[in-house]
Amino acid sequence: MTNSPKEFARAVRMHVAEILCRTHDSHIGGGYSSADILAVLYTRILGLTPDNLEDPDRNVFLLSKGHIAATFYTTLACAGLIPMEDLALHVADGENYAGHTRRFVVPGVEMSAGSLGHGPGLGAGVAYAKRIQNNGGRVFVLLGDGECNEGSVWESVMLAVRLSLENLILIVDRNRLQSYGSDEQVLNLGDLSEKFCAFGCRVEAVDGHDYAALEDCFSRAGLDGDPRPTVVIAHTVKGKGVSFMENRLEWHFKSPNQEQLAQALEELGQ
């Protein structure tokens, strides 16, 4: 697979559209808003291979917004961590590729997901374990902005700040839409950058679809001597890459039909 984040993300989006059309599974909108973030992490930052997934010094990636499982499985396949043919097993009866990710059964999946808000706490635990065991590597956690409604996110942030977990990087997919409306309509959290700063984190805001900006931000996070955990607010567009999905709430739930798949593949292939 290409090492270009742009081409990697394009391939992921195309495969995901085909998978979700076939399976009638959902969450394509949030998967597409995260695709460029995942592409940069898996082509430029994490350095994960099938041979180092158990290395205690590896970088660890935790998908807290685990409902974008199809996008994550496709990312793992495009990164060479699982076979591409396994994508045909998505949400198939009796298989391990469930609609929310499960640890232990899929290589490269480091946490089981379902209810939101657990990734930051697990990430803090892994980051702290790395410190006390003198293990290298950073811990990256991807969560949604709607997920920041969960109190567990803020409890975890307070702990991470208290322990000075500089090796913990939280990435917020700031697409501003969640299940039943905009973030402002559902539970207005205000300026997330200011809020995380107030909790004691180092915060960087970045265009979540700018590959160079993402790479620069992730490359520096946790490595420049700042003892604070890093929060990256990645401003994104839900459904990014397909015109009729962009900033449309219904694509949190919908899957493309054959006609929509054809249009999506045409747009993504341009």
Side-chain angles (χ1 to χ4, degrees), residues 72-141:
F72 188 35
Y73 299 145
T74 305
T75 297
L76 294 176
C78 289
L81 299 177
I82 63 173
M84 287 295 296
E85 54 265 29
D86 278 15
L87 297 181
L89 305 177
H90 181 61
V91 298
D93 288 347
E95 299 294 344
N96 293 323
Y97 292 87
H100 287 75
T101 53
R102 297 167 56 205
R103 194 181 177 215
F104 301 119
V105 296
V106 177
V109 174
E110 301 264 20
M111 69 170 282
S112 297
S115 297
L116 294 173
H118 297 302
L122 179 58
V126 174
Y128 187 59
K130 280 183 172 292
R131 173 190 292 170
I132 63 177
Q133 296 175 34
N134 294 314
N135 292 332
R138 294 175 290 168
V139 181
F140 295 83
V141 182

